[in-house]
Coordinates of all heavy atoms in Angstrom, one line a residue:
N1 N 20.1 7.0 -173.8 CA 19.7 7.9 -172.7 C 20.5 9.1 -172.7 O 20.1 10.1 -172.2 CB 19.7 7.1 -171.4 CG 19.0 8.0 -170.3 OD1 18.0 8.6 -170.5 ND2 19.7 8.0 -169.1
N2 N 21.8 9.0 -173.1 CA 22.8 10.1 -173.0 C 23.3 10.5 -174.3 O 24.4 11.2 -174.4 CB 23.9 9.7 -172.1 CG 23.4 9.4 -170.7 OD1 22.8 10.2 -170.0 ND2 23.7 8.2 -170.2
C3 N 22.6 10.2 -175.4 CA 23.2 10.6 -176.7 C 22.1 10.9 -177.8 O 21.1 10.1 -177.9 CB 24.1 9.5 -177.2 SG 25.0 9.9 -178.8
I4 N 22.3 11.9 -178.5 CA 21.4 12.3 -179.6 C 22.2 12.3 -180.9 O 23.5 12.4 -180.9 CB 20.7 13.6 -179.4 CG1 21.6 14.8 -179.4 CG2 19.8 13.5 -178.2 CD1 21.0 16.1 -179.3
A5 N 21.5 12.2 -182.1 CA 22.2 12.3 -183.4 C 21.5 13.3 -184.3 O 20.2 13.3 -184.3 CB 22.3 11.0 -184.0
Y6 N 22.2 14.1 -185.0 CA 21.6 15.1 -185.9 C 21.7 14.5 -187.3 O 22.6 13.7 -187.7 CB 22.4 16.4 -186.0 CG 22.1 17.3 -184.8 CD1 23.0 17.3 -183.7 CD2 21.0 18.2 -184.7 CE1 22.8 18.1 -182.6 CE2 20.8 19.0 -183.6 CZ 21.7 19.0 -182.6 OH 21.5 19.8 -181.5
I7 N 20.6 14.7 -188.2 CA 20.7 14.4 -189.6 C 20.2 15.6 -190.4 O 19.8 16.6 -189.8 CB 19.8 13.2 -189.9 CG1 18.3 13.5 -189.6 CG2 20.2 12.0 -189.2 CD1 17.3 12.5 -190.2
D8 N 20.3 15.6 -191.7 CA 19.9 16.6 -192.6 C 20.6 17.9 -192.4 O 20.2 18.8 -191.6 CB 18.4 16.8 -192.5 CG 17.8 17.6 -193.7 OD1 18.6 18.1 -194.5 OD2 16.6 17.8 -193.8
F9 N 21.7 18.1 -193.1 CA 22.6 19.3 -192.8 C 22.5 20.3 -194.0 O 23.5 21.0 -194.3 CB 24.0 18.8 -192.6 CG 24.2 17.8 -191.5 CD1 24.2 16.4 -191.8 CD2 24.2 18.2 -190.2 CE1 24.3 15.5 -190.7 CE2 24.3 17.3 -189.2 CZ 24.4 15.9 -189.4
G10 N 21.4 20.2 -194.7 CA 21.2 21.1 -195.9 C 21.1 22.6 -195.5 O 21.4 23.5 -196.2
M11 N 20.5 22.8 -194.3 CA 20.3 24.2 -193.8 C 21.1 24.4 -192.5 O 20.9 23.8 -191.5 CB 18.8 24.5 -193.5 CG 18.5 25.9 -193.2 SD 16.7 26.2 -192.8 CE 16.0 25.9 -194.4
V12 N 22.1 25.4 -192.7 CA 22.9 25.7 -191.5 C 23.0 27.2 -191.3 O 22.7 27.9 -192.3 CB 24.4 25.1 -191.7 CG1 24.4 23.6 -191.7 CG2 25.0 25.7 -193.0
G13 N 23.3 27.6 -190.1 CA 23.5 29.0 -189.8 C 25.0 29.3 -189.5 O 25.7 28.5 -188.9
I14 N 25.4 30.5 -189.8 CA 26.7 31.0 -189.5 C 26.6 32.3 -188.8 O 25.9 33.2 -189.2 CB 27.6 31.1 -190.8 CG1 27.7 29.8 -191.5 CG2 29.0 31.7 -190.4 CD1 28.4 29.9 -192.8
I15 N 27.4 32.4 -187.7 CA 27.4 33.6 -186.9 C 28.8 34.0 -186.5 O 29.6 33.2 -186.0 CB 26.5 33.5 -185.6 CG1 26.3 34.8 -184.9 CG2 27.0 32.4 -184.7 CD1 25.2 34.9 -184.0
D16 N 29.2 35.2 -186.9 CA 30.6 35.6 -186.7 C 30.9 36.2 -185.3 O 29.9 36.4 -184.5 CB 31.1 36.6 -187.7 CG 30.2 37.8 -187.8 OD1 29.6 38.2 -186.7 OD2 30.1 38.5 -188.9
N17 N 32.1 36.5 -184.9 CA 32.5 36.9 -183.6 C 31.9 38.3 -183.3 O 31.5 38.6 -182.2 CB 34.0 37.1 -183.5 CG 34.7 35.7 -183.4 OD1 34.1 34.8 -182.8 ND2 35.9 35.5 -183.9
K18 N 31.7 39.1 -184.3 CA 31.1 40.5 -184.1 C 29.7 40.3 -183.6 O 29.3 41.0 -182.7 CB 31.2 41.3 -185.4 CG 30.6 42.7 -185.3 CD 30.7 43.5 -186.6 CE 30.1 44.8 -186.4 NZ 30.1 45.6 -187.7
M19 N 29.0 39.4 -184.3 CA 27.6 39.2 -183.9 C 27.4 38.6 -182.5 O 26.5 38.9 -181.8 CB 26.8 38.4 -185.0 CG 25.3 38.5 -184.9 SD 24.7 40.2 -185.1 CE 25.1 40.6 -186.8
L20 N 28.4 37.7 -182.3 CA 28.4 37.0 -180.9 C 28.6 38.0 -179.8 O 28.0 38.0 -178.8 CB 29.4 35.9 -180.9 CG 29.0 34.5 -181.5 CD1 30.2 33.6 -181.5 CD2 27.9 33.9 -180.7
N21 N 29.6 38.9 -180.1 CA 29.9 40.0 -179.1 C 28.7 40.9 -178.9 O 28.4 41.3 -177.8 CB 31.1 40.8 -179.6 CG 32.4 40.0 -179.5 OD1 32.5 39.1 -178.6 ND2 33.4 40.4 -180.3
F22 N 28.0 41.2 -180.0 CA 26.8 42.0 -179.9 C 25.7 41.3 -179.0 O 25.1 42.0 -178.2 CB 26.2 42.2 -181.3 CG 24.8 42.7 -181.4 CD1 24.5 44.0 -181.1 CD2 23.8 41.8 -181.7 CE1 23.2 44.4 -181.1 CE2 22.4 42.2 -181.7 CZ 22.2 43.6 -181.4
L23 N 25.5 40.0 -179.2 CA 24.5 39.3 -178.4 C 24.9 39.3 -177.0 O 24.1 39.5 -176.1 CB 24.4 37.8 -178.9 CG 23.7 37.7 -180.3 CD1 23.8 36.2 -180.8 CD2 22.3 38.1 -180.2
N24 N 26.2 39.0 -176.7 CA 26.7 39.0 -175.3 C 26.5 40.4 -174.7 O 25.9 40.5 -173.6 CB 28.2 38.7 -175.3 CG 28.5 37.3 -175.6 OD1 27.7 36.4 -175.4 ND2 29.6 37.0 -176.2
N25 N 26.8 41.4 -175.4 CA 26.7 42.8 -174.8 C 25.3 43.2 -174.6 O 25.0 43.9 -173.6 CB 27.5 43.8 -175.7 CG 29.0 43.6 -175.7 OD1 29.5 43.1 -174.7 ND2 29.6 43.9 -176.8
I26 N 24.4 42.8 -175.6 CA 23.0 43.3 -175.5 C 22.3 42.6 -174.3 O 21.4 43.1 -173.7 CB 22.3 43.2 -176.8 CG1 21.2 44.2 -176.9 CG2 21.8 41.8 -177.0 CD1 20.6 44.5 -178.3
V27 N 22.6 41.3 -174.1 CA 22.1 40.6 -173.0 C 22.5 41.2 -171.7 O 21.6 41.4 -170.8 CB 22.5 39.1 -173.0 CG1 22.1 38.4 -171.7 CG2 21.8 38.4 -174.2
I28 N 23.7 41.6 -171.6 CA 24.2 42.2 -170.3 C 23.5 43.6 -170.1 O 23.1 43.9 -169.0 CB 25.8 42.4 -170.4 CG1 26.4 41.0 -170.3 CG2 26.3 43.3 -169.2 CD1 27.9 41.0 -170.6
A29 N 23.4 44.4 -171.2 CA 22.8 45.7 -171.2 C 21.3 45.6 -170.7 O 20.8 46.4 -169.9 CB 22.9 46.4 -172.5
I30 N 20.6 44.6 -171.3 CA 19.2 44.4 -170.9 C 19.1 43.9 -169.4 O 18.2 44.4 -168.7 CB 18.6 43.3 -171.8 CG1 18.4 43.9 -173.2 CG2 17.2 42.9 -171.3 CD1 18.0 42.9 -174.3
G31 N 20.1 43.1 -169.0 CA 20.1 42.7 -167.6 C 20.3 43.8 -166.7 O 19.7 43.8 -165.5
K32 N 21.0 44.9 -167.1 CA 21.2 46.0 -166.3 C 20.2 47.1 -166.5 O 20.3 48.2 -166.0 CB 22.6 46.6 -166.6 CG 23.8 45.7 -166.2 CD 25.1 46.3 -166.5 CE 26.3 45.4 -166.1 NZ 27.6 46.0 -166.4
R33 N 19.2 46.9 -167.4 CA 18.2 47.8 -167.8 C 18.8 49.1 -168.3 O 18.3 50.2 -168.2 CB 17.3 48.2 -166.6 CG 16.6 47.0 -166.0 CD 15.5 47.5 -165.1 NE 15.0 46.4 -164.1 CZ 14.0 46.5 -163.4 NH1 13.2 47.6 -163.4 NH2 13.6 45.5 -162.6
N34 N 19.9 49.0 -169.0 CA 20.6 50.1 -169.6 C 20.1 50.4 -171.0 O 20.6 49.9 -172.0 CB 22.1 49.9 -169.6 CG 22.9 51.1 -170.0 OD1 22.4 52.0 -170.6 ND2 24.2 51.1 -169.7
I35 N 19.0 51.1 -171.2 CA 18.3 51.3 -172.4 C 19.2 52.0 -173.4 O 19.2 51.7 -174.6 CB 17.0 52.1 -172.2 CG1 16.2 52.1 -173.5 CG2 17.2 53.5 -171.7 CD1 15.5 50.9 -173.9
D36 N 20.0 53.0 -173.0 CA 20.8 53.8 -173.9 C 21.9 52.9 -174.4 O 22.3 53.0 -175.6 CB 21.5 55.0 -173.1 CG 20.4 56.0 -172.7 OD1 19.5 56.3 -173.6 OD2 20.5 56.5 -171.6
R37 N 22.4 51.9 -173.7 CA 23.4 51.0 -174.1 C 22.8 50.1 -175.2 O 23.5 49.8 -176.2 CB 24.0 50.2 -172.9 CG 25.0 49.1 -173.3 CD 26.2 49.6 -173.9 NE 27.2 48.5 -174.0 CZ 28.2 48.6 -174.9 NH1 28.5 49.7 -175.6 NH2 29.1 47.6 -175.0
V38 N 21.6 49.6 -175.0 CA 20.9 48.8 -175.9 C 20.8 49.5 -177.3 O 21.1 49.0 -178.4 CB 19.5 48.4 -175.4 CG1 18.8 47.6 -176.5 CG2 19.7 47.4 -174.2
I39 N 20.3 50.8 -177.2 CA 20.2 51.5 -178.5 C 21.5 51.8 -179.2 O 21.6 51.6 -180.4 CB 19.5 52.9 -178.2 CG1 18.0 52.6 -177.7 CG2 19.5 53.8 -179.4 CD1 17.3 53.9 -177.2

């Protein structure tokens, strides 16, 4: 009831800090409706 297990690890994704910062900043910019910041 409180545990899941993953299998099949042939396909994985990697995301670096630069892209994570981009995602964080763009979500905040969209939340503020700052279109120029998004661009």
Side-chain angles (χ1 to χ4, degrees):
N1 189 44
N2 296 305
C3 184
I4 63 172
Y6 287 96
I7 62 167
D8 195 353
F9 305 97
M11 188 181 292
V12 294
I14 297 174
I15 188 162
D16 57 27
N17 287 329
K18 181 180 179 181
M19 198 58 67
L20 278 176
N21 289 334
F22 164 77
L23 289 173
N24 290 330
N25 292 331
I26 205 163
V27 167
I28 293 169
I30 290 171
K32 294 178 178 178
R33 302 195 197 190
N34 189 340
I35 187 73
D36 294 317
R37 175 65 174 160
V38 172
I39 292 173

